[in-house]
Amino acid sequence: MRYASLFEPIQIGKTVVKNRIFMPPVSTNLCAKNHYISDALIEHYASRAKGGVGLIITEVTTIEPVYTYLPGDISICDDSYIEGWKKLSDAIHQYGAKIMPQLFHPAFMAFPLPGTPQLVAPSNVGPYYAKSAPRALSIEEIHTLVKQFGQAARRAQIAGCDGVEVHAAHAHGLLGGFLTPLYNKRCDEYGGDINGRLKITLEVIEEIRRQCGDDFIIDVRISGDEYSDGGLNINDMIYVCKQLEKAGVDFIHCSGGNTIKRGSSMPAPGTKQGSHCLLSEELKKYIHIPVSTVGRINEPWIANELIENGKADICMMGRANLCDSEFANKAMNNREDEIRPCIGCGRCLTGVMFGKPVGCTVNPSVESNVIEKAEEKKKVLVIGGGPAGMEAAYVASQRGHEVILCEKESELGGLLRLACVPIAKQDLSKVIKFMITRLKKTDVDIRLNCEITSEMLENEFKDYIVLGTTGAKPRIIDAFTSFKSTMTADDILAGRKVTGRNVVIIGGGSVGCETADYLAPLVNDLFPANRNVTILEMTNALMTGEGGAAKSVLTRRLMEKGVRIEFNAKVERVDSDHIYYSQNGKEHVISDADTLVFATGYVPLPIQNDRIIQIGDCDSVGNLKDAISSAYQATIHL
């Protein structure tokens, strides 16, 4: 076995878990009405248990009915929820995995559903975006909440769960808020110093032990360092973890950062794997219970290294197991090249924040890997070998159809090959490699350097179902091509053209910003060879429609590199040497630019033929998730 350390059993309290791959909480929005366990949720978690995960910590599970974290989260706030949890725990246990709900009270970060009372907090301090201040909890209310945590844990135990996770991380929710000095400004027994701030968490652990006994696993999720001025640091958390161990906690789930400082807790694409492993390594020196690490651990080798090198005892792998429910089994059986690669884009959670079910850019079938055979075998032609084309060809072949994939270029991948080029986007190359490797193991007839003509459709492929995935081309504003040197962002990323030293990019979307990042100096040190890069964006924001850590990190990097960003800036006209743009009712001119770059979107490139089912960008320009998902949906019932 290539990753032997990863698959060693581990003792957690009085329970043995079969391997070191644990699945941490990832919200799904798959619950039934009123936060009950649904069949879809059971299928979701059971598929990960079947895929070989050792222990699953469910998404946020609320302990009382008043405050909701997200509308689609699950609950265990009264006995009526036990039946659903019993079905879930039974489904997990049949595959030899363990299950623990993550107990949580959202407090000052609750979702403001209509009718929700004033939000509560350790003090009258909330996040910077709050529209009103929360109210501080009374001592009596704190005591009630402690009992509710214990009651929720007892319900989980009755339902057959193996333990619970207590969420006290990320300066987030009730216990995380009490623990951090960022939000706890109390001067009574529940504040003032680290012992006061920790008091409620210790009382919760004591109450859970009182109600559930010693055979029930309790872990606490903490931030080993909040990476924020005024927040908790590693010295604080060494002390905290010592107290948690004394209180009877069975293992520590060591994360880092906080939810307000974007990219600190859930790292962005292109950042280092095992983002919080130095924290877990340090904690392991001072406590004797297992310590897990989490954060961009999405390949077997890095997980095995973290354990083998003493950085952690357990690896929490959320997005990796979301992307491929068979991750653990494939790693254990040396089938690493078959693992669907997580690119860390965070789109799994972007939709959840807006009430949509959990999704994945690379995996359009998050809930099930089953592709059923078609009742009738058909002949299918796929035109285009980008990600949509490769997905369509693969799914159609798995359905049992006879599939031919034609790509006019000499290699597969399409525009996704260019998307790999910008800084921190290299993980996209893993997607191309995975899709090609997977496709070559099928019976698909792959024809490169093969451009489909109307004659071919009328003759050779007259009996075929035809799927068009011919992509899109960059939009060029013809009126601006009179400038002395123009090119598209794709020209630059493909190496077809090279810019001068003073570059103006029209468009502050993802492509424009990533191209600016690619062109700008790595260090803003005014070195003579550095490029000066300006982004002109018509709206008042960069990368509209995007969110999360990736956008935040890229924006900060552009600013650190000295990229000039002009909002509400509309290019009105150009001549050979000047670029004129309006901004807030005034006209401005750029006279020292030597290159004008178009990053103004893409235009679909459909083949005009009524027989062709258009898929992906040639139908409607979108992102990678849209392309793969549209191809899957078009072929899964073909």
Side-chain angles (χ1 to χ4, degrees):
M1 189 186 299
R2 189 178 303 167
Y3 304 113
S5 296
L6 193 56
F7 291 95
E8 290 179 359
I10 184 169
Q11 183 91 25
I12 303 291
K14 298 183 180 181
T15 302
V16 176
V17 181
K18 65 180 180 180
N19 62 44
R20 311 295 181 99
I21 300 177
F22 289 15
M23 186 170 181
V26 180
S27 291
T28 65
N29 261 345
L30 294 176
C31 73
K33 186 178 180 180
N34 295 324
H35 311 286
Y36 285 91
I37 300 294
S38 65
D39 290 342
L41 196 70
I42 292 172
E43 180 185 6
H44 172 81
Y45 284 121
S47 67
R48 272 75 198 168
K50 183 180 180 181
V53 168
L55 185 149
I56 293 173
I57 302 173
T58 72
E59 61 210 82
V60 162
T61 304
T62 52
I63 55 119
E64 58 83 49
V66 177
Y67 295 100
T68 298
Y69 179 51
L70 290 174
D73 282 329
I74 49 181
S75 184
I76 196 165
C77 65
D78 65 48
D79 290 353
S80 67
Y81 290 87
I82 293 175
E83 181 182 357
W85 277 95
K86 180 69 166 64
K87 292 179 181 177
L88 177 58
S89 63
D90 287 347
I92 300 303
H93 288 151
Q94 69 175 314
Y95 299 110
K98 309 298 181 185
I99 179 171
M100 299 166 54
Q102 183 192 70
L103 302 186
F104 185 71
H105 187 296
F108 55 104
M109 292 179 172
F111 198 87
L113 293 171
T116 300
Q118 182 180 7
L119 303 187
V120 296
S123 308
N124 60 339
V125 180
Y128 72 91
Y129 55 76
K131 296 180 179 179
S132 60
R135 67 172 180 83
L137 286 161
S138 68
I139 298 291
E140 292 74 16
E141 287 175 315
I142 291 172
H143 292 166
T144 298
L145 287 167
V146 168
K147 290 179 181 177
Q148 288 176 323
F149 270 97
Q151 291 162 353
R154 177 57 182 154
R155 293 185 194 105
Q157 186 179 43
I158 293 170
C161 295
D162 301 282
V164 292
E165 173 168 279
V166 175
H167 191 315
H170 307 143
H172 190 57
L174 183 74
L175 301 184
F178 263 91
L179 189 56
T180 180
L182 294 173
Y183 294 115
N184 188 339
K185 312 297 181 178
R186 299 175 76 104
C187 303
D188 61 12
E189 60 188 294
Y190 289 97
D193 61 13
I194 196 166
N195 293 301
R197 299 196 307 272
L198 179 60
K199 181 176 172 60
I200 184 175
T201 300
L202 294 178
E203 289 179 349
V204 165
I205 294 163
E206 181 182 11
E207 182 65 18
I208 293 173
R209 275 281 173 250
R210 187 184 69 80
Q211 295 207 35
C212 300
D214 294 334
D215 295 338
F216 196 62
I217 299 172
I218 302 174
D219 96 84
V220 178
R221 187 172 196 178
I222 55 99
S223 288
D225 191 313
E226 290 178 347
Y227 308 139
S228 297
D229 292 342
L232 295 165
N233 58 57
I234 186 62
N235 295 329
D236 298 323
M237 299 316 296
I238 290 170
Y239 175 79
V240 165
C241 288
K242 286 180 178 180
Q243 310 316 307
L244 295 175
E245 181 178 20
K246 290 176 183 177
V249 169
D250 294 303
F251 79 93
I252 298 296
H253 179 173
C254 178
S255 183
N258 60 68
T259 55
I260 304 304
K261 187 176 182 180
R262 282 178 287 275
S264 64
S265 60
M266 185 170 140
T271 56
K272 74 171 184 176
Q273 296 197 63
S275 53
H276 307 305
C277 69
L278 297 181
L279 302 176
S280 58
E281 179 185 31
E282 190 67 13
L283 291 177
K284 273 174 56 63
K285 298 175 184 177
Y286 301 99
I287 58 177
H288 306 91
I289 54 177
V291 179
S292 71
T293 190
V294 69
R296 228 175 99 74
I297 308 171
N298 53 20
E299 296 180 83
W301 73 266
I302 183 65
N304 196 73
E305 285 287 297
L306 291 172
I307 292 169
E308 196 169 88
N309 298 338
K311 304 292 186 182
D313 302 297
I314 299 157
C315 284
M316 295 280 179
M317 305 177 72
R319 288 181 283 179
N321 279 295
L322 187 73
C323 185
D324 193 332
S325 64
E326 291 286 327
F327 178 97
N329 284 341
K330 290 177 181 178
M332 183 173 65
N333 294 311
N334 297 331
R335 293 158 51 206
E336 189 174 2
D337 64 337
E338 296 179 26
I339 295 175
R340 187 183 276 107
C342 170
I343 58 176
C345 63
R347 291 192 186 278
C348 47
L349 297 179
T350 301
V352 168
M353 302 303 293
F354 295 97
K356 298 179 181 179
V358 67
C360 176
T361 290
V362 186
N363 182 3
S365 53
V366 170
E367 303 316 317
S368 174
N369 290 321
V370 177
I371 298 177
E372 297 180 354
K373 293 292 185 181
E375 293 182 2
E376 177 188 355
K377 185 176 180 179
K378 303 170 185 176
K379 293 181 178 181
V380 178
L381 170 65
V382 179
I383 307 174
M390 288 191 283
E391 179 71 18
Y394 173 77
V395 175
S397 71
Q398 295 303 106
R399 294 275 289 156
H401 302 310
E402 179 184 324
V403 183
I404 297 175
L405 170 62
C406 293
E407 167 54 49
K408 68 177 182 179
E409 303 294 340
S410 61
E411 54 189 8
L412 299 173
L415 288 179
L416 192 57
R417 288 187 173 272
L418 300 188
C420 303
V421 174
I423 293 170
K425 298 300 292 291
Q426 64 273 11
D427 280 1
L428 291 175
S429 64
K430 299 175 186 176
V431 179
I432 300 173
K433 183 177 181 180
F434 163 77
M435 297 186 90
I436 292 174
T437 300
R438 183 180 66 169
L439 205 55
K440 287 182 175 179
K441 293 180 179 180
T442 69
D443 294 328
V444 174
D445 180 2
I446 302 172
R447 302 181 184 181
L448 301 177
N449 300 303
C450 178
E451 186 167 5
I452 297 296
T453 63
S454 298
E455 291 74 19
M456 293 170 73
L457 291 175
E458 293 172 3
N459 296 297
E460 182 181 356
F461 299 114
K462 64 180 180 179
D463 298 326
Y464 282 70
I465 296 172
V466 185
L467 307 178
T469 66
T470 45
K473 66 177 182 179
R475 185 188 303 275
I476 296 174
I477 304 173
D478 291 335
F480 300 159
T481 56
S482 60
F483 191 74
K484 55 190 170 187
S485 176
T486 64
M487 59 193 70
T488 67
D490 284 18
D491 289 331
I492 296 167
L493 299 178
R496 292 189 291 264
K497 293 186 178 181
V498 179
T499 69
R501 294 296 169 190
N502 295 297
V503 182
V504 173
I505 298 174
I506 304 177
S510 295
V511 173
C513 289
E514 289 170 2
T515 304
D517 188 29
Y518 175 71
L519 294 173
L522 294 177
V523 180
N524 184 19
D525 59 359
L526 303 181
F527 193 76
N530 289 351
R531 288 188 181 91
N532 299 307
V533 182
T534 299
I535 296 174
L536 300 179
E537 167 55 39
M538 288 179 60
T539 71
N540 61 0
L542 294 178
M543 296 173 275
T544 54
E546 298 292 335
K551 176 179 178 178
S552 175
V553 170
L554 176 54
T555 301
R556 283 180 276 153
R557 196 159 61 233
L558 291 175
M559 297 175 71
E560 290 166 2
K561 289 181 171 186
V563 172
R564 176 185 166 195
I565 302 170
E566 296 291 345
F567 293 111
N568 301 309
K570 180 183 178 182
V571 178
E572 301 289 354
R573 67 187 192 282
V574 306
D575 57 34
S576 62
D577 295 307
H578 303 87
I579 300 167
Y580 299 89
Y581 69 94
S582 59
Q583 185 181 52
N584 302 323
K586 296 182 180 179
E587 184 175 82
H588 303 266
V589 60
I590 299 175
S591 57
D592 59 350
D594 51 35
T595 311
L596 181 62
V597 178
F598 296 109
T600 49
Y602 290 82
V603 179
L605 281 174
I607 299 176
Q608 300 302 326
N609 189 301
D610 293 339
R611 283 181 56 203
I612 297 177
I613 302 170
Q614 310 287 355
I615 297 172
D617 283 351
C618 70
D619 177 49
S620 178
V621 175
N623 54 42
L624 177 60
K625 183 176 185 293
D626 298 327
I628 294 177
S629 180
S630 67
Y632 177 84
Q633 294 299 329
T635 50
I636 192 61
H637 300 298
L638 189 65

